[in-house]
Amino acid sequence: MKNPYKHVLGALGVTLAVISLSPASAQADPPTNANDALAQLHDASQKQESLGEQYNAALGAYNDRQADVQRATAELATDQAAEKQAKAEEDRYRGDVDRWVSATTEGADLSSMSALLTGQSPSDFLDRAWLLQEVSKFNGDAMDGLTKSLDKASAASKAATQAQTKANDASAKAKQVADGLQQQRDAAVQAQQAAQTAYNRLSGTQKTALKSDKGQPFDTSNIPAGAAGTAVKAALGQVGVPYVYGGNTPGSALDCSSLVQYAYRQAGVTLPRTTYEQVLLGTPVAKGAWIPGDLLFFGTSGNVHHVAMYIGNNQIVHAPDVGQVVKVVPVSGGGSDYYTARRIVGG
């Protein structure tokens, strides 16, 4: 599988550019009419969604890198323990060999002829010869054990060195993601505050209209069987649930990516949390060749900020903007920046 976070670090540059070009203090001019107020809310909501998805993807990448660090550290500890054990084994065999070599060089005659010449009787010779065979076997085992323990210690040392490199690399990658995480979080918070400010400028009538608008009527009779159909029905079951930035609670608070994640979970299919990850799944679908259950993404290759589920009849169900609810709209209602579509199940 492709790296689900390959967009994150690239998007970081985009995020920092957004921060530098749009400081926290910069706010849109107060709207002069109702349409301007709605337009400002939509613009602010889209920026909030975009930066929020980038932050969530970066956070996911950071958590994964931290898990890599933990796994690499555990592997390093295991390899270091194996290296220590192999070294102790080497030292034990080396001591046996050293004692044998020392006895030989200090004049001990361990030959069978010596046993014959020094023996007092045939029985004495046989006893000594047997003992020499055992000593020879012991020494041979010691040499063989030393050779094997040296090989084992060398392999253990190499594994520990590789594990150390792996742990260092994992730590460096975790730090790389962490360095930009706070800035991404700050940008997401600023965007959220701007969206809330835009929403607060709406009139009471406008707010009520947004909350009560569930979009177009829809027909479920043509929804296919199988996992995709189950996901479509689950998503449609959330129509009317409020959009909440970062929301992940079916029945009370959802955002665009959590809606499709929930819907496919009801079909037994696990999806990741963010649009940046979801857009990498499944198989590509040509524009207009969608079938119910396909996921439609909006934005650009480096900034996939919105996802909706196609339900047939040129309609999608999605969790749109701040102040709105999950609703059914035409495909064009997902945004003017359609990017791509992915088929999660089926072919």
Side-chain angles (χ1 to χ4, degrees):
M1 177 181 284
K2 297 179 181 178
N3 179 0
Y5 298 109
K6 69 177 183 178
H7 295 291
V8 174
L9 295 179
L12 175 58
V14 176
T15 303
L16 297 181
V18 171
I19 297 172
S20 62
L21 294 175
S22 304
S25 59
Q27 298 286 350
D29 294 332
T32 57
N33 56 59
N35 287 335
D36 282 349
L38 289 172
Q40 286 187 10
L41 175 61
H42 176 72
D43 182 61
S45 293
Q46 183 168 310
K47 289 179 180 177
Q48 168 196 268
E49 192 170 55
S50 174
L51 292 172
E53 289 292 283
Q54 289 180 25
Y55 169 68
N56 287 334
L59 183 60
Y62 173 72
N63 290 335
D64 281 354
R65 297 294 78 77
Q66 287 295 98
D68 288 344
V69 171
Q70 293 177 354
R71 283 191 293 268
T73 301
E75 183 179 330
L76 174 60
T78 299
D79 288 341
Q80 287 177 333
E83 180 184 21
K84 184 177 180 180
Q85 182 178 355
K87 187 64 172 61
E89 187 175 326
E90 175 194 337
D91 290 343
R92 178 168 62 84
Y93 280 111
R94 188 182 295 279
D96 291 339
V97 172
D98 285 347
R99 284 190 292 274
W100 169 51
V101 172
S102 177
T104 302
T105 57
E106 288 176 3
D109 192 343
L110 302 178
S111 67
S112 297
M113 182 58 70
S114 174
L116 177 60
L117 294 175
T118 59
Q120 301 299 316
S121 67
S123 177
D124 189 22
F125 165 73
L126 291 176
D127 288 342
R128 294 189 181 200
W130 173 83
L131 180 60
L132 287 174
Q133 287 178 351
E134 290 300 309
V135 170
S136 177
K137 181 178 181 300
F138 172 77
N139 292 333
D141 289 345
M143 286 298 297
D144 185 54
L146 177 60
T147 300
K148 290 180 178 179
S149 66
L150 285 170
D151 292 340
K152 186 176 180 180
S154 177
S157 178
K158 183 178 179 181
T161 299
Q162 291 175 338
Q164 182 68 69
T165 300
K166 186 176 180 180
N168 292 342
D169 182 58
S171 296
K173 288 180 178 178
K175 184 178 185 304
Q176 182 182 17
V177 178
D179 284 345
L181 195 60
Q182 185 60 45
Q183 289 174 301
Q184 286 186 293
R185 181 183 182 280
D186 291 343
V189 170
Q190 291 170 11
Q192 181 183 11
Q193 292 171 343
Q196 187 62 49
T197 297
Y199 177 74
N200 291 342
R201 287 171 173 168
L202 299 181
S203 67
T205 301
Q206 287 176 311
K207 292 177 181 178
T208 299
L210 288 178
K211 291 178 181 178
S212 61
D213 180 15
K214 299 180 181 180
Q216 298 179 332
F218 51 88
D219 181 11
T220 61
S221 62
N222 294 323
I223 296 176
T230 299
V232 169
K233 291 178 180 178
L236 290 174
Q238 296 300 303
V239 167
V241 171
Y243 168 91
V244 175
Y245 167 71
N248 193 25
T249 307
S252 61
L254 293 168
D255 61 18
C256 68
S257 54
S258 68
L259 170 64
V260 299
Q261 182 189 48
Y262 159 77
Y264 265 104
R265 186 164 63 243
Q266 306 318 297
V269 179
T270 300
L271 298 186
R273 177 64 178 85
T274 70
T275 55
Y276 282 86
E277 302 161 276
Q278 293 170 355
V279 75
L280 301 176
L281 303 180
T283 56
V285 181
K287 187 175 183 178
W290 314 301
I291 61 174
D294 287 349
L295 299 185
L296 278 56
F297 295 90
F298 299 82
T300 65
S301 61
N303 182 23
V304 183
H305 65 82
H306 189 63
V307 61
M309 181 179 291
Y310 187 70
I311 65 171
N313 196 32
N314 201 42
Q315 291 178 310
I316 55 174
V317 57
H318 73 152
D321 291 340
V322 174
Q324 301 189 53
V325 298
V326 175
K327 65 179 62 177
V328 172
V329 297
V331 170
S332 60
S336 60
D337 54 351
Y338 171 82
Y339 170 56
T340 189
R342 308 291 290 191
R343 186 158 297 157
I344 303 302
V345 294

